[in-house]
Every structure is written in C-alpha cells, then in structure tokens.
Amino acid sequence: MDIIAAESKTESLGKTESSESLLLSSSSLPPLAALAHQLLSQQWQRLQKHVGRVLKHHPEAAESLHQIRVSLRRIGTWVEVFQGSLRLPKPLRPKRLRKLIKTLGQQRDLDVLLEILHEPCWQGIPADQQAELEELKEKLQRRQAQAEKHSRRILAEEDFLKFQAACEEWLVSPRYRPAAQLPVQESLPHLLAPLVAAWFLQPGWRIPAFPETEAQAEQLHDLRKATKRLRYQLEFFAPFYGETLQSWVKALKRLQEQLGRFNDLQVLQAQLPADSSLQNWLQEQQKLALQDWPTQQQRYCNPAEQQRLYQLLFLVGENSNGEVQVVG
C-alpha cells in the first residue's frame, strides 16, 4: 500500500533557494521517506537556480550549465539509492535521466579539453607542435560554441520540461513504497552495501599499472564513473557517520579525479592524427595521471580493507545537529 506523505503542498518549489541545510524533523513523513524527500528537494532547488541563470544569460551561465549536469547526476544517484522505497513518474526513472545527462555532457567534455590545452605544461613546446596545438584549440572552440547553443536548447525541449514537471509533482505529492517507513539509521547499511559491492566488482580494478588495450582503458573509465556515483551516494548520508566516512569520501574524490584526468587526456589524444607530434607528450601525461594507480589497487583489492569499509557502513550514529547538508 502506498504511503501518501504530503498533507500540505510544498510552495514555490525552485523559485527561491532555501538555506544550505534542511532539518530532519518532518512530523508527517516516515524517517526514510523524509530523508528521500529532503535530498531531492535540495537538488531540485540547486537545479532550478542554475537553469534560471542559463535562461537569463547570467555571466556565469557556462558554469551553470555544468552545475545542471551535476544536479542531474546527483538526482540520478538519488533514484538509484531510493528507487526501492519510492514510486516515481517515468521522467524520473534512470533511463530517461541518463539520456539527459549524456546530451548535456557533450559541452562539458569540450570545456575540459580546452582547459587542458591552456595548462602551463604546454609552454616551451617546439614551434611546430605549438602551431598544431593552436589549430586544435580553434577546432575545439568552434565545437564548444555549437555545443553550448545545443545545451541551451535542451532546457526548452519536451524531455527536460517533462523532467522538471515530474520533479515538482513528486515533491508536492510524493508517493512511497512500504520500505520508506523504515528508520533511516537502520536502513542505511543495507541501502549502501549493494552499492559498495558493485563498486568493488568493477573489472577496472584488475587493470595493470597502465592500460594495454582500448578495452582496458574503457574499463578504467567505467570505474571512474562508478567511483563518482559511489561518492555521491556516500555524500548523501555522510551526516549520519563520523570522520572515517568523510575521509573515504575525500579519497574517492581523489581517485575519481586521477582516473578522470587519464580519460580526458585519452579523449584529447583521439582528437589528433595518429602521427601527431603531440601524441607522445599526451601519453606521458597519461602515465603521470596514473602514477598512484598501483597504490589505489593495492588498497581497495585488499580483502581486509574491503571488510573494514563494509563494517564502516554499520557505524551509523546520530548527527550532532540533525541536519542533512547540501553537498557540492
């Protein structure tokens, strides 16, 4: 039987940004339901703020386009964690969200590639390589401008508008499954354990010190995406844990950044001809990006460390201020 858990409708959703934290003190919602509702509400408000900036051509609209993508990823993570406890409309289901994220991601990928090309490490390269570098910058800048226009159009298209309407509808009239009645603190270890298990089972953990094939590089890329999802998931629940979990979240972010750097350099490498004079330089940068990779493998493929992290999930304690913080 559904739990219809909103006696009074949420007013002005997305029109004004709330404080940076929301208290876990709802009297009308079961505990797990309350947390799910508050987490989506936070991401919804952030999303609406950045959508508004883009539509109004705010000076920081380019960064807001990136933050829209981040918010969509976090909402996708929210769905992954809570879908067994919620009844969601179709636009909020994983397949629809992945489509939106992928479409908006094209511009961000180009932004990152151009950021790499403007790094100080390119200074001092030979003149012929400098000319090739400038040509690549111009090519990517043209594509970036087109991608930004496309991203703006997406915000006015039917798929995105349906997604927005579904979020607002669910927040005003949320629908839950019976599992949403369970206490938050009793539920967290069992919500998180399967997500951690899926992360440990990523084939990317078995890749050697440096990928030897395209398939191995793709597995590392999948591990990076899985690491980001796990980090988002743990960040949702960090207020219920202590410093040990916070340290793990920071370690996941470092791993994600290292693997992300490797992947970005690979994407950049693919923009150049195979005989480009820049290819060797990019490969050396990839090796630098993965110089800590053997240490990461040694840590997370160790059964003792895996057991410690699983045990950590059961160390749920009361948050000192009873708040869920908005993260990132």
Side-chain angles (χ1 to χ4, degrees):
M1 180 178 180
D2 290 351
I3 303 167
I4 309 301
E7 294 180 1
S8 60
K9 291 189 176 181
T10 305
E11 297 180 355
S12 303
L13 285 171
K15 295 181 181 178
T16 59
E17 186 175 16
S18 70
S19 61
E20 285 296 294
S21 60
L22 295 172
L23 293 176
L24 292 175
S25 59
S26 172
S27 58
S28 61
L29 296 174
L32 192 59
L35 180 60
H37 190 278
Q38 291 177 6
L39 287 170
L40 180 60
S41 179
Q42 290 169 354
Q43 294 306 318
W44 165 257
Q45 291 173 46
R46 289 174 60 81
L47 177 68
Q48 291 304 99
K49 178 184 74 173
H50 290 295
V51 168
R53 284 183 174 181
V54 171
L55 296 179
K56 294 176 183 177
H57 297 274
H58 188 277
E60 298 180 6
E63 176 60 21
S64 283
L65 278 170
H66 170 55
Q67 292 303 324
I68 289 170
R69 184 188 181 200
V70 171
S71 291
L72 287 173
R73 285 193 180 279
R74 290 186 180 277
I75 290 172
T77 296
W78 175 86
V79 170
E80 186 177 358
V81 172
F82 290 106
Q83 59 186 338
S85 307
L86 312 175
R87 296 192 182 279
L88 297 171
K90 287 184 179 180
L92 277 178
R93 292 175 186 172
K95 186 176 180 179
R96 299 284 188 91
L97 283 170
R98 283 195 295 269
K99 181 181 176 182
L100 278 176
I101 293 166
K102 183 178 180 180
T103 306
L104 288 169
Q106 294 173 0
Q107 182 203 339
R108 181 59 180 176
D109 293 343
L110 291 166
D111 292 346
V112 170
L113 296 184
L114 283 166
E115 287 173 7
I116 292 175
L117 293 180
H118 285 91
E119 290 177 353
C121 55
W122 293 95
Q123 295 175 2
I125 63 175
D128 60 330
Q129 293 185 5
Q130 187 67 45
E132 188 176 8
L133 184 67
E134 292 303 319
E135 184 180 344
L136 180 58
K137 283 181 184 178
E138 291 176 6
K139 171 186 172 183
L140 293 179
Q141 283 169 348
R142 290 193 295 270
R143 289 174 54 192
Q144 181 193 43
Q146 292 299 317
E148 183 174 344
K149 291 179 182 178
H150 182 55
S151 295
R152 291 179 184 278
R153 287 198 299 270
I154 289 170
L155 302 184
E157 290 178 352
E158 185 179 14
D159 283 351
F160 189 77
L161 295 177
K162 284 184 176 180
F163 162 76
Q164 286 184 300
C167 276
E168 185 166 5
E169 177 187 351
W170 191 89
L171 285 167
V172 171
S173 301
R175 294 172 64 84
Y176 301 96
R177 299 180 188 275
Q181 300 178 75
L182 298 173
V184 169
Q185 291 175 313
E186 292 180 18
S187 305
L188 291 191
H190 308 292
L191 284 174
L192 291 172
L195 309 176
V196 175
W199 184 66
F200 281 135
L201 289 171
Q202 282 289 318
W205 286 116
R206 304 302 184 268
I207 300 303
F210 191 82
E212 299 169 354
T213 66
E214 187 176 336
Q216 289 182 341
E218 186 62 30
Q219 287 175 349
L220 269 190
H221 181 48
D222 290 341
L223 176 60
R224 180 194 68 84
K225 292 187 289 186
T227 301
K228 179 186 288 188
R229 288 195 301 272
L230 180 61
R231 176 171 72 88
Y232 286 170
Q233 290 155 355
L234 294 176
E235 283 175 344
F236 280 157
F237 306 117
F240 295 95
Y241 291 89
E243 289 298 319
T244 304
L245 186 73
Q246 297 281 7
S247 297
W248 187 19
V249 169
K250 291 177 183 177
L252 288 173
K253 186 175 183 180
R254 288 193 297 271
L255 173 61
Q256 173 196 322
E257 289 171 348
Q258 291 164 3
L259 297 179
R261 172 73 174 180
F262 171 78
N263 181 71
D264 293 337
L265 290 165
Q266 269 219 319
V267 174
L268 187 57
Q269 199 172 24
Q271 307 298 313
L272 296 165
D275 59 352
S276 168
S277 57
L278 296 173
Q279 289 285 5
N280 289 337
W281 187 92
L282 286 169
Q283 190 165 34
E284 288 302 314
Q285 292 298 309
Q286 288 177 44
K287 290 178 180 178
L288 286 174
L290 290 184
Q291 61 185 347
D292 190 45
W293 173 237
T295 302
Q296 300 282 3
Q297 283 180 301
Q298 185 177 12
R299 175 183 177 182
Y300 291 114
C301 293
N302 183 340
E305 176 67 0
Q306 294 176 358
Q307 183 179 20
R308 185 185 74 85
L309 293 173
Y310 276 122
Q311 290 173 339
L312 171 62
L313 302 180
F314 288 85
L315 301 180
V316 187
E318 290 290 341
N319 184 36
S320 59
N321 59 11
E323 297 179 349
V324 177
Q325 300 295 328
V326 179
V327 183

